[in-house]
PDB file of all heavy atoms in Angstrom:
ATOM      1  N   VAL A 416       6.266  12.403   3.836  1.00  0.00           N
ATOM      2  CA  VAL A 416       6.419  11.019   4.282  1.00  0.00           C
ATOM      3  C   VAL A 416       5.665  10.099   3.353  1.00  0.00           C
ATOM      4  O   VAL A 416       4.783  10.509   2.602  1.00  0.00           O
ATOM      5  CB  VAL A 416       5.929  10.838   5.719  1.00  0.00           C
ATOM      6  CG1 VAL A 416       6.785  11.643   6.724  1.00  0.00           C
ATOM      7  CG2 VAL A 416       4.444  11.219   5.872  1.00  0.00           C
ATOM      8  N   ILE A 417       6.043   8.812   3.428  1.00  0.00           N
ATOM      9  CA  ILE A 417       5.370   7.754   2.684  1.00  0.00           C
ATOM     10  C   ILE A 417       4.841   6.726   3.666  1.00  0.00           C
ATOM     11  O   ILE A 417       5.526   6.350   4.618  1.00  0.00           O
ATOM     12  CB  ILE A 417       6.345   7.035   1.732  1.00  0.00           C
ATOM     13  CG1 ILE A 417       7.266   8.008   1.017  1.00  0.00           C
ATOM     14  CG2 ILE A 417       5.585   6.203   0.714  1.00  0.00           C
ATOM     15  CD1 ILE A 417       8.420   7.292   0.261  1.00  0.00           C
ATOM     16  N   LEU A 418       3.625   6.250   3.436  1.00  0.00           N
ATOM     17  CA  LEU A 418       3.036   5.171   4.227  1.00  0.00           C
ATOM     18  C   LEU A 418       3.102   3.891   3.407  1.00  0.00           C
ATOM     19  O   LEU A 418       2.572   3.837   2.303  1.00  0.00           O
ATOM     20  CB  LEU A 418       1.593   5.475   4.639  1.00  0.00           C
ATOM     21  CG  LEU A 418       0.957   4.497   5.631  1.00  0.00           C
ATOM     22  CD1 LEU A 418       1.698   4.488   6.950  1.00  0.00           C
ATOM     23  CD2 LEU A 418      -0.517   4.829   5.825  1.00  0.00           C
ATOM     24  N   LEU A 419       3.814   2.880   3.942  1.00  0.00           N
ATOM     25  CA  LEU A 419       4.068   1.651   3.202  1.00  0.00           C
ATOM     26  C   LEU A 419       3.380   0.457   3.848  1.00  0.00           C
ATOM     27  O   LEU A 419       3.187   0.419   5.058  1.00  0.00           O
ATOM     28  CB  LEU A 419       5.573   1.367   3.174  1.00  0.00           C
ATOM     29  CG  LEU A 419       6.477   2.474   2.574  1.00  0.00           C
ATOM     30  CD1 LEU A 419       7.936   2.106   2.776  1.00  0.00           C
ATOM     31  CD2 LEU A 419       6.167   2.653   1.100  1.00  0.00           C
ATOM     32  N   ASN A 420       3.075  -0.532   3.019  1.00  0.00           N
ATOM     33  CA  ASN A 420       2.453  -1.766   3.531  1.00  0.00           C
ATOM     34  C   ASN A 420       3.454  -2.787   4.063  1.00  0.00           C
ATOM     35  O   ASN A 420       3.054  -3.844   4.531  1.00  0.00           O
ATOM     36  CB  ASN A 420       1.616  -2.408   2.412  1.00  0.00           C
ATOM     37  CG  ASN A 420       0.430  -1.579   2.008  1.00  0.00           C
ATOM     38  OD1 ASN A 420       0.036  -0.664   2.736  1.00  0.00           O
ATOM     39  ND2 ASN A 420      -0.133  -1.873   0.862  1.00  0.00           N
ATOM     40  N   GLY A 421       4.725  -2.471   3.960  1.00  0.00           N
ATOM     41  CA  GLY A 421       5.746  -3.386   4.475  1.00  0.00           C
ATOM     42  C   GLY A 421       6.988  -2.597   4.912  1.00  0.00           C
ATOM     43  O   GLY A 421       7.162  -1.430   4.540  1.00  0.00           O
ATOM     44  N   ASN A 422       7.833  -3.263   5.673  1.00  0.00           N
ATOM     45  CA  ASN A 422       9.024  -2.624   6.220  1.00  0.00           C
ATOM     46  C   ASN A 422      10.101  -2.510   5.139  1.00  0.00           C
ATOM     47  O   ASN A 422      10.629  -3.510   4.653  1.00  0.00           O
ATOM     48  CB  ASN A 422       9.558  -3.442   7.379  1.00  0.00           C
ATOM     49  CG  ASN A 422      10.786  -2.847   8.035  1.00  0.00           C
ATOM     50  OD1 ASN A 422      11.275  -1.809   7.637  1.00  0.00           O
ATOM     51  ND2 ASN A 422      11.302  -3.546   9.035  1.00  0.00           N
ATOM     52  N   PRO A 423      10.481  -1.282   4.747  1.00  0.00           N
ATOM     53  CA  PRO A 423      11.485  -1.134   3.676  1.00  0.00           C
ATOM     54  C   PRO A 423      12.900  -1.566   4.129  1.00  0.00           C
ATOM     55  O   PRO A 423      13.757  -1.853   3.272  1.00  0.00           O
ATOM     56  CB  PRO A 423      11.465   0.355   3.365  1.00  0.00           C
ATOM     57  CG  PRO A 423      11.026   0.984   4.679  1.00  0.00           C
ATOM     58  CD  PRO A 423      10.033   0.021   5.254  1.00  0.00           C
ATOM     59  N   LEU A 424      13.151  -1.623   5.422  1.00  0.00           N
ATOM     60  CA  LEU A 424      14.466  -2.079   5.891  1.00  0.00           C
ATOM     61  C   LEU A 424      14.604  -3.595   5.786  1.00  0.00           C
ATOM     62  O   LEU A 424      15.719  -4.114   5.758  1.00  0.00           O
ATOM     63  CB  LEU A 424      14.676  -1.640   7.336  1.00  0.00           C
ATOM     64  CG  LEU A 424      14.595  -0.153   7.630  1.00  0.00           C
ATOM     65  CD1 LEU A 424      15.001   0.124   9.089  1.00  0.00           C
ATOM     66  CD2 LEU A 424      15.443   0.657   6.676  1.00  0.00           C
ATOM     67  N   ALA A 425      13.481  -4.282   5.689  1.00  0.00           N
ATOM     68  CA  ALA A 425      13.509  -5.720   5.508  1.00  0.00           C
ATOM     69  C   ALA A 425      13.618  -6.097   4.042  1.00  0.00           C
ATOM     70  O   ALA A 425      14.256  -7.086   3.681  1.00  0.00           O
ATOM     71  CB  ALA A 425      12.278  -6.356   6.121  1.00  0.00           C
ATOM     72  N   ASP A 426      12.983  -5.291   3.179  1.00  0.00           N
ATOM     73  CA  ASP A 426      12.983  -5.575   1.747  1.00  0.00           C
ATOM     74  C   ASP A 426      12.783  -4.257   1.023  1.00  0.00           C
ATOM     75  O   ASP A 426      11.755  -3.598   1.213  1.00  0.00           O
ATOM     76  CB  ASP A 426      11.869  -6.573   1.411  1.00  0.00           C
ATOM     77  CG  ASP A 426      11.895  -7.004  -0.056  1.00  0.00           C
ATOM     78  OD1 ASP A 426      12.606  -6.389  -0.861  1.00  0.00           O
ATOM     79  OD2 ASP A 426      11.166  -7.978  -0.377  1.00  0.00           O
ATOM     80  N   ILE A 427      13.772  -3.857   0.208  1.00  0.00           N
ATOM     81  CA  ILE A 427      13.688  -2.569  -0.494  1.00  0.00           C
ATOM     82  C   ILE A 427      12.472  -2.543  -1.409  1.00  0.00           C
ATOM     83  O   ILE A 427      11.952  -1.454  -1.734  1.00  0.00           O
ATOM     84  CB  ILE A 427      14.985  -2.313  -1.282  1.00  0.00           C
ATOM     85  CG1 ILE A 427      15.168  -0.826  -1.612  1.00  0.00           C
ATOM     86  CG2 ILE A 427      15.061  -3.165  -2.516  1.00  0.00           C
ATOM     87  CD1 ILE A 427      15.537   0.032  -0.459  1.00  0.00           C
ATOM     88  N   ALA A 428      11.975  -3.700  -1.848  1.00  0.00           N
ATOM     89  CA  ALA A 428      10.819  -3.756  -2.741  1.00  0.00           C
ATOM     90  C   ALA A 428       9.550  -3.243  -2.062  1.00  0.00           C
ATOM     91  O   ALA A 428       8.584  -2.887  -2.731  1.00  0.00           O
ATOM     92  CB  ALA A 428      10.615  -5.158  -3.265  1.00  0.00           C
ATOM     93  N   ASN A 429       9.553  -3.189  -0.729  1.00  0.00           N
ATOM     94  CA  ASN A 429       8.377  -2.699  -0.009  1.00  0.00           C
ATOM     95  C   ASN A 429       8.126  -1.210  -0.292  1.00  0.00           C
ATOM     96  O   ASN A 429       7.036  -0.693  -0.009  1.00  0.00           O
ATOM     97  CB  ASN A 429       8.515  -2.940   1.493  1.00  0.00           C
ATOM     98  CG  ASN A 429       8.231  -4.384   1.854  1.00  0.00           C
ATOM     99  OD1 ASN A 429       7.432  -5.053   1.196  1.00  0.00           O
ATOM    100  ND2 ASN A 429       8.884  -4.876   2.911  1.00  0.00           N
ATOM    101  N   LEU A 430       9.104  -0.509  -0.843  1.00  0.00           N
ATOM    102  CA  LEU A 430       8.862   0.893  -1.236  1.00  0.00           C
ATOM    103  C   LEU A 430       7.794   1.003  -2.282  1.00  0.00           C
ATOM    104  O   LEU A 430       7.140   2.063  -2.444  1.00  0.00           O
ATOM    105  CB  LEU A 430      10.155   1.503  -1.798  1.00  0.00           C
ATOM    106  CG  LEU A 430      11.239   1.897  -0.801  1.00  0.00           C
ATOM    107  CD1 LEU A 430      12.465   2.320  -1.565  1.00  0.00           C
ATOM    108  CD2 LEU A 430      10.749   3.032   0.088  1.00  0.00           C
ATOM    109  N   LYS A 431       7.547  -0.058  -3.030  1.00  0.00           N
ATOM    110  CA  LYS A 431       6.548  -0.026  -4.091  1.00  0.00           C
ATOM    111  C   LYS A 431       5.139  -0.335  -3.551  1.00  0.00           C
ATOM    112  O   LYS A 431       4.170  -0.185  -4.281  1.00  0.00           O
ATOM    113  CB  LYS A 431       6.911  -1.044  -5.187  1.00  0.00           C
ATOM    114  CG  LYS A 431       8.230  -0.743  -5.863  1.00  0.00           C
ATOM    115  CD  LYS A 431       8.563  -1.789  -6.915  1.00  0.00           C
ATOM    116  CE  LYS A 431       9.905  -1.507  -7.563  1.00  0.00           C
ATOM    117  NZ  LYS A 431      10.275  -2.542  -8.561  1.00  0.00           N
ATOM    118  N   ARG A 432       5.065  -0.750  -2.290  1.00  0.00           N
ATOM    119  CA  ARG A 432       3.788  -1.094  -1.702  1.00  0.00           C
ATOM    120  C   ARG A 432       3.296   0.079  -0.886  1.00  0.00           C
ATOM    121  O   ARG A 432       3.159   0.054   0.326  1.00  0.00           O
ATOM    122  CB  ARG A 432       3.948  -2.340  -0.841  1.00  0.00           C
ATOM    123  CG  ARG A 432       4.465  -3.582  -1.594  1.00  0.00           C
ATOM    124  CD  ARG A 432       4.693  -4.749  -0.668  1.00  0.00           C
ATOM    125  NE  ARG A 432       3.473  -5.118   0.056  1.00  0.00           N
ATOM    126  CZ  ARG A 432       3.440  -5.698   1.240  1.00  0.00           C
ATOM    127  NH1 ARG A 432       4.567  -5.912   1.885  1.00  0.00           N
ATOM    128  NH2 ARG A 432       2.278  -5.991   1.787  1.00  0.00           N
ATOM    129  N   ARG A 433       2.960   1.146  -1.596  1.00  0.00           N
ATOM    130  CA  ARG A 433       2.565   2.392  -0.944  1.00  0.00           C
ATOM    131  C   ARG A 433       1.068   2.452  -0.690  1.00  0.00           C
ATOM    132  O   ARG A 433       0.260   2.181  -1.567  1.00  0.00           O
ATOM    133  CB  ARG A 433       2.993   3.597  -1.806  1.00  0.00           C
ATOM    134  CG  ARG A 433       4.499   3.779  -1.893  1.00  0.00           C
ATOM    135  CD  ARG A 433       4.849   4.955  -2.799  1.00  0.00           C
ATOM    136  NE  ARG A 433       4.378   4.753  -4.180  1.00  0.00           N
ATOM    137  CZ  ARG A 433       5.017   4.017  -5.089  1.00  0.00           C
ATOM    138  NH1 ARG A 433       6.137   3.376  -4.760  1.00  0.00           N
ATOM    139  NH2 ARG A 433       4.530   3.875  -6.291  1.00  0.00           N
ATOM    140  N   SER A 434       0.714   2.888   0.508  1.00  0.00           N
ATOM    141  CA  SER A 434      -0.686   3.205   0.818  1.00  0.00           C
ATOM    142  C   SER A 434      -1.015   4.659   0.529  1.00  0.00           C
ATOM    143  O   SER A 434      -2.159   5.033   0.343  1.00  0.00           O
ATOM    144  CB  SER A 434      -1.017   2.896   2.295  1.00  0.00           C
ATOM    145  OG  SER A 434      -1.013   1.516   2.523  1.00  0.00           O
ATOM    146  N   GLY A 435       0.020   5.487   0.510  1.00  0.00           N
ATOM    147  CA  GLY A 435      -0.175   6.907   0.218  1.00  0.00           C
ATOM    148  C   GLY A 435       1.080   7.685   0.496  1.00  0.00           C
ATOM    149  O   GLY A 435       2.078   7.193   1.013  1.00  0.00           O
ATOM    150  N   VAL A 436       1.003   8.973   0.128  1.00  0.00           N
ATOM    151  CA  VAL A 436       2.125   9.906   0.258  1.00  0.00           C
ATOM    152  C   VAL A 436       1.611  11.192   0.911  1.00  0.00           C
ATOM    153  O   VAL A 436       0.528  11.679   0.556  1.00  0.00           O
ATOM    154  CB  VAL A 436       2.760  10.229  -1.095  1.00  0.00           C
ATOM    155  CG1 VAL A 436       3.889  11.206  -0.964  1.00  0.00           C
ATOM    156  CG2 VAL A 436       3.237   8.950  -1.786  1.00  0.00           C
ATOM    157  N   MET A 437       2.370  11.708   1.839  1.00  0.00           N
ATOM    158  CA  MET A 437       2.066  13.033   2.405  1.00  0.00           C
ATOM    159  C   MET A 437       3.126  14.007   1.879  1.00  0.00           C
ATOM    160  O   MET A 437       4.320  13.762   2.023  1.00  0.00           O
ATOM    161  CB  MET A 437       2.074  13.007   3.917  1.00  0.00           C
ATOM    162  CG  MET A 437       1.892  14.385   4.553  1.00  0.00           C
ATOM    163  SD  MET A 437       1.565  14.314   6.337  1.00  0.00           S
ATOM    164  CE  MET A 437      -0.209  14.060   6.328  1.00  0.00           C
ATOM    165  N   LEU A 438       2.663  15.079   1.249  1.00  0.00           N
ATOM    166  CA  LEU A 438       3.529  16.088   0.678  1.00  0.00           C
ATOM    167  C   LEU A 438       3.226  17.415   1.364  1.00  0.00           C
ATOM    168  O   LEU A 438       2.118  17.938   1.278  1.00  0.00           O
ATOM    169  CB  LEU A 438       3.291  16.203  -0.826  1.00  0.00           C
ATOM    170  CG  LEU A 438       4.118  17.238  -1.575  1.00  0.00           C
ATOM    171  CD1 LEU A 438       5.581  16.814  -1.629  1.00  0.00           C
ATOM    172  CD2 LEU A 438       3.572  17.460  -2.978  1.00  0.00           C
ATOM    173  N   ARG A 439       4.215  17.958   2.078  1.00  0.00           N
ATOM    174  CA  ARG A 439       4.068  19.230   2.795  1.00  0.00           C
ATOM    175  C   ARG A 439       2.825  19.235   3.663  1.00  0.00           C
ATOM    176  O   ARG A 439       2.114  20.211   3.749  1.00  0.00           O
ATOM    177  CB  ARG A 439       4.036  20.402   1.816  1.00  0.00           C
ATOM    178  CG  ARG A 439       5.283  20.584   0.974  1.00  0.00           C
ATOM    179  CD  ARG A 439       5.213  21.856   0.130  1.00  0.00           C
ATOM    180  NE  ARG A 439       6.268  21.857  -0.862  1.00  0.00           N
ATOM    181  CZ  ARG A 439       6.152  21.332  -2.073  1.00  0.00           C
ATOM    182  NH1 ARG A 439       5.032  20.755  -2.442  1.00  0.00           N
ATOM    183  NH2 ARG A 439       7.168  21.382  -2.918  1.00  0.00           N
ATOM    184  N   GLY A 440       2.587  18.119   4.339  1.00  0.00           N
ATOM    185  CA  GLY A 440       1.481  18.041   5.286  1.00  0.00           C
ATOM    186  C   GLY A 440       0.154  17.690   4.670  1.00  0.00           C
ATOM    187  O   GLY A 440      -0.823  17.512   5.403  1.00  0.00           O
ATOM    188  N   SER A 441       0.053  17.574   3.370  1.00  0.00           N
ATOM    189  CA  SER A 441      -1.192  17.169   2.712  1.00  0.00           C
ATOM    190  C   SER A 441      -1.126  15.691   2.361  1.00  0.00           C
ATOM    191  O   SER A 441      -0.166  15.246   1.712  1.00  0.00           O
ATOM    192  CB  SER A 441      -1.436  17.996   1.455  1.00  0.00           C
ATOM    193  OG  SER A 441      -1.661  19.341   1.789  1.00  0.00           O
TER     194      SER A 441
END
Side-chain angles (χ1 to χ4, degrees):
V416 296
I417 318 170
L418 188 63
L419 303 173
N420 293 344
N422 181 1
L424 302 187
D426 186 347
I427 200 74
N429 283 329
L430 284 174
K431 299 178 182 179
R432 302 175 58 208
R433 292 178 298 279
S434 290
V436 178
M437 175 168 275
L438 180 70
R439 299 185 192 89
S441 295

